[in-house]
């Protein structure tokens, strides 16, 4: 496929994370994103004996968040210095949305950095926080 024929992507369909306590993480992410929990437990296809996943849907954007229980998980917290995921950043459209979501984090009692305005490599504003497994999450808006 040539560079000129690349069809592009239209966004992220879902995000799947392995967690240490699936019930606690389902509750945390459900509250954070005001998401709906789907009443389905699905296997790790081709590796059914290793565990299962559960789904949440954030209805505003349609983002699906999969949370996975894995039988080999030893319960250690996430560490971005290992190969794999470093962090996840969620885009919000405006600074006002970022301010409202920062207030929402406060209402939920979730520790965060507060809004930080950055200039390099381009202008944006961000709030950084961590989930129950220590996975770094960000909310990011264009800096206007």
């Amino acid at each position: 496929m040539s560079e000129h024929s690349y069809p592009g992507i239209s966004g992220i369909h879902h995000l799947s994370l392995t967690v240490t306590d699936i019930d606690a993480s389902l509750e945390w992410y459900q509250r954070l994103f005001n998401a709906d929990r789907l009443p389905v437990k699905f296997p790790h296809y081709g590796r059914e004996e290793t565990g299962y996943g559960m789904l949440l849907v954030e209805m505003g954007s349609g983002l699906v968040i999969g949370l996975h229980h894995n039988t080999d998980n030893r319960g250690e917290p996430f560490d971005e210095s290992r190969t794999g995921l470093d962090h996840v950043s969620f885009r919000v459209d405006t600074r006002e949305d970022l301010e409202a979501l920062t207030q929402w984090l406060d209402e939920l009692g979730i520790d965060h950095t507060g809004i930080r305005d950055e200039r390099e490599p381009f202008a944006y504003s961000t709030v950084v926080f961590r989930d129950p497994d220590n996975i770094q999450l960000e909310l990011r808006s264009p800096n206007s």
Side-chain angles (χ1 to χ4, degrees):
M1 177 174 0
S2 75
E3 177 180 82
H4 300 289
S5 64
Y6 176 71
I9 60 172
S10 61
I12 295 174
H13 178 268
H14 72 274
L15 165 71
S16 289
L17 303 170
T18 298
V19 297
T20 57
D21 182 335
I22 195 164
D23 293 324
S25 291
L26 281 163
E27 181 182 323
W28 191 87
Y29 277 93
Q30 191 170 11
R31 286 186 328 126
L32 174 65
F33 291 111
N34 198 26
D36 292 333
R37 188 183 305 195
L38 298 184
V40 62
K41 183 187 284 188
F42 60 94
H44 296 155
Y45 296 108
R47 299 180 65 209
E48 286 81 359
E49 72 284 355
T50 66
Y52 62 92
M54 303 280 297
L55 297 177
L56 298 171
V57 179
E58 195 281 321
M59 299 310 282
S61 67
L63 174 66
V64 176
I65 300 169
L67 298 174
H68 293 262
H69 165 76
N70 192 302
T71 56
D72 287 338
N73 187 307
R74 290 181 230 110
E76 61 274 301
F78 174 78
D79 182 348
E80 60 264 12
S81 66
R82 295 185 195 127
T83 302
L85 180 72
D86 185 84
H87 70 278
V88 178
S89 182
F90 298 95
R91 180 175 176 251
V92 298
D93 290 331
T94 66
R95 172 69 179 228
E96 292 77 21
D97 290 340
L98 186 61
E99 290 169 355
L101 285 166
T102 302
Q103 184 175 8
W104 178 243
L105 293 175
D106 288 340
E107 291 175 22
L108 294 174
I110 297 172
D111 290 333
H112 58 81
T113 61
I115 296 175
R116 298 186 308 195
D117 298 317
E118 305 290 344
R119 300 280 174 238
E120 297 296 329
F122 41 80
Y124 65 94
S125 296
T126 188
V127 174
V128 177
F129 56 103
R130 291 186 179 267
D131 83 350
D133 286 297
N134 201 44
I135 298 172
Q136 180 178 309
L137 305 173
E138 294 179 0
L139 300 170
R140 183 180 288 208
S141 73
N143 200 350
S144 45

